[in-house]
Structure formats: C-alpha cells, structure tokens
Amino acid sequence: MTETSEKVVHPDLREAFAVWARIGVLSFGGPAGQIALMHRIVVEEKRWISDARFLHALNYCMLLPGPEAQQLATYIGWLVHGVRGGVIAGMLFILPGLITVMGLSMIYATLGNVGVVEGLFFGLKAAVLAIVVQAVLRIGTRVLVGGWTTVLAILAFLAIFVFGVPFPLVIAAAAAIGLIAGRRAPAAFTKGATGQAGSGTVRDEDTLLGAGAAAPDRSGPLRSAAICLAIWLLPVAALYGLFGADDVFARIAGFFSTMAVVTFGGAYAALAYVAQEAVESFGWLRPGEMLDGLGLAETTPGPLILVTQFVGFMGAYRDPGAMPPLVAGTLGGLLTSWVTFAPCFFWIFLGAPFIERLRQNGALTSALTAITAAVVGVMANLAVWFGLHVLFGEVRTVRAGGLALDWPVWSTLDPASALLVAAALVAALRFKLGILPLLGGAAGTGLLLWGAGLAAV
C-alpha cells in the first residue's frame, strides 16, 4: 500500500466485529440506506477500501439473487479478513434484524397489532425515508460522473417506475450497453470506476488494501463455498427425507430455497409471489397479513427479505404439529432465514475471488459501472415507492398501454406523516444528523403523535 498522510492500520478481527455489529444495528432504510451506510463507514470513515473497489463489489452483488446489501457486507468482510471476515460481516449484518423480526413476529402472533409498536413504526418510517433519499444522493454523486451514466440512471428509473420493466431486464440491458458503448468510448464507463472522479473520492492508494489485487487466494473461498452449499441443502434434503413433502418445515425449506435462487432484484421483486403462495397455496398467512409483515421488516434493521422470516414463523405457528405453537413458529422462522441467507455466502465465496482478479478488465469494468448507474435509478424508484406509501394511505397502480405507474390518492395524504418526513429530511440533509439520533428522534415523535391520536397507524 502506498504511504499517505495518514496510514490506515489493518484492523484485527475484534475491531472488525465491532464495526460490522455497528453496521448491522444501524442498517435501516432498505438496500439504498444500507449501502450508503456501509460506504460511509468502510470507505469514508475507516478507509478499508476505495470508492472504486466498493462500487466494483456492489456491481457484482447486484447481479446475484438475494439481498445485495448483505452480500456486499460479506464481500467486503472477505476482502479485509478473508473467509472469517466474510462470515462475521454477513452474519452481523442480518443478526440484529433477525432477532428483532423474530420478537415482533411473536408479539404479532400472540397479541396482534400493538398500538405502541405501531406508533414507533410510524415515526421510524419518516426517518427511513430520509435515509433512503440521502443514500440516493450520496451514491449518485459518486456514480453519475458523466453523460452516459446519468442517462442510464434516468432510463432505469423510468423503465421501472413508469413502465414496470422487471429489474433483471433493466440490469441486463445496462450491462449490454456498458459492454458495447464502453468499447467505443471507454472513458464513458471507466471514469467513475477508476476512483478518480468526483470531489472527496477515496482512492485505492489511500486505503488499507491499496491498489493491488485481493490478498485471499481462491482455494479458501472455494472450500467455504462448498461448505455453504452443504449447509444450505443438506438440512433441506433431511427434512424431506425424514418428514415428507407435506410437512410444514419441509415446505418452508423447499419453497424459500427456491426463492433464494430466483429473487433477482431484491425483496420487492419477490414479495408479490411470496404473498400469493403463502396465502393461497400454503395457507400460512391470511389476506392482508403480508403487508403487516412487510411493515415489520421495513422498520427494523437488516435486509427487507427478512419479511420471509415472518412468513415462515406464521406458517409453522399455525401448523405446529405436536410442538407448542411459539416453538414451532420460532423454528419455522429460523429455518426460513437459514435457507434464505446460506446461499448468499455461497455466491460470494464462489465468485468474489474471480471478480477481484478481473478488476482491471476494461470490458467488465465498463459493464459493471453501467450496472451501478442503472442501480442508482432503481434506488431512486425505491425511494419514490417508499415515499408514496409513507405519505399516502392509498396508492393505486395506473395501467394504460405499456404504462404501469404508481399514483397516490391525494385525498389520503397524511399531514402528520408529511410534516415528520419534512423534518427528517431537513435534519438529515441540512444538518447532517447522525443515523441513531435521527431514528431515535423520529421514533419518539411518532410515539407522541400516536399518543395524541394524530398518527395514522
């Protein structure tokens, strides 16, 4: 590593554990907020990796099925500390949310919707929206460094928000454009990837890992990938073999293992299908309960895909067999998370060593940078989608020709929510309020508004 004015000291595993635990606890706001949080801590604050390396890893994770933010944490943890670091980072990223969603699922199953919890969530949603907006602006200023990248981001936003184009098609189109146009005008898609564009950019030579290739070799991650594959699939096979295909735990393991392979585009891309199957095919949820589970997952730390843990919990809770319902529900929720996240470690340990060794490949870099530009548009779409559902009580999908546009029912605008969102945006963007004070202040205000009967929960 090149000497800089302030040399970055390699962290030991204890320090890494503390950093990833902090990220896990603060990882609100869905993938946009979580990616921005990781960037702020591991790139800007710790300088473990550069902007270019961060975006290179993010580009790969966006191509994978499953929660991209959790996979990005695993990738960065592997870069810094090898396989052990990847496991620590990936597990700590999901653990706070897993525990929280499990506790809230127990409350929901036994007590139903609790007003105090709903009041807290009412406030938290405003802060989460502010974090998402801040994330889009933060990542966008680093990625959209030229005309090509800006155009791709706009086109990606319009494709999803206005025309309802599936996320995988948007990413595939961006990759193709990056490959083709990058060969004719390489600077269009490599300028942002080199870490030289934009003020305040953290360069390779100013970071812990420097500008060289990743230190870990391929053999360790490949062995770990094989272990992760076994950890994922052997319990599924055992459940089918021991209890048969009609057992609730076998169904949970099989269904969510399949979802882990096909959920390109994050949780939102899979939620409609999960909700339909959970209600109509398996009878795990009643109509409308998926939205309750989504509300729990949206306002807790960790990946939004943890909503599937709520589904698995409720499915086993309502079909416990000889077990106490809470015990069965807990096992069902844990099993769901097991088969959802074990594949994530498999994808990273299998592919990351090869992706790192292709960092200097111009064609790949152009394609991956184009993907990241499109992802900014996708993140903007999520921010708008989330904002509409926070501010309005009813949002309808308007379809006309090839359009599929989410449009609010203006009469359902919630004034209290609008004021709280405005205050959170000012606190985050103007006064740069930290995440914990922002979340705490918004949650407390939401609780006060609920107590005064002003919160629409």
Side-chain angles (χ1 to χ4, degrees), residues 140 142-157 170 173-193 197 365-377:
R142 286 170 167 79
V143 174
L144 308 182
V145 296
W148 278 101
T149 52
T150 303
V151 168
L152 274 180
I154 294 172
L155 290 176
F157 173 81
V170 172
I177 292 172
L179 281 173
I180 296 170
R183 290 173 180 172
R184 298 184 179 181
F189 290 107
T190 57
K191 183 180 178 183
T365 298
S366 294
L368 293 181
T369 303
I371 290 170
T372 303
V375 167
V376 173

Side-chain angles (χ1 to χ4, degrees), residues 287-303:
E289 287 186 333
M290 188 67 180
L291 289 177
D292 294 333
L294 182 60
L296 299 181
E298 280 181 333
T299 48
T300 56

Side-chain angles (χ1 to χ4, degrees), residues 28 96-114 116-118 120-121 124 292-301 306 309-310 313-314 326:
F28 291 87
L98 186 150
I99 294 172
T100 306
V101 171
M102 182 66 74
L104 292 174
S105 298
M106 292 179 178
I107 294 173
Y108 183 91
T110 55
L111 301 178
N113 290 319
V114 179
V116 173
V117 176
E118 291 182 333
L120 289 171
F121 285 174
L124 280 173
D292 294 333
L294 182 60
L296 299 181
E298 280 181 333
T299 48
T300 56
L306 278 169
Q309 179 178 269
F310 169 81
F313 179 96
M314 296 303 298
L326 277 178

Side-chain angles (χ1 to χ4, degrees), residues 231-269:
I231 287 174
W232 167 25
L233 295 180
L234 288 179
V236 177
L239 287 170
Y240 273 90
L242 292 173
F243 303 111
D246 293 331
D247 179 75
V248 65
F249 293 105
R251 286 187 169 188
I252 288 172
F255 177 69
F256 288 109
S257 288
T258 303
M259 292 305 303
V261 176
V262 301
T263 49
F264 293 93
Y268 289 110

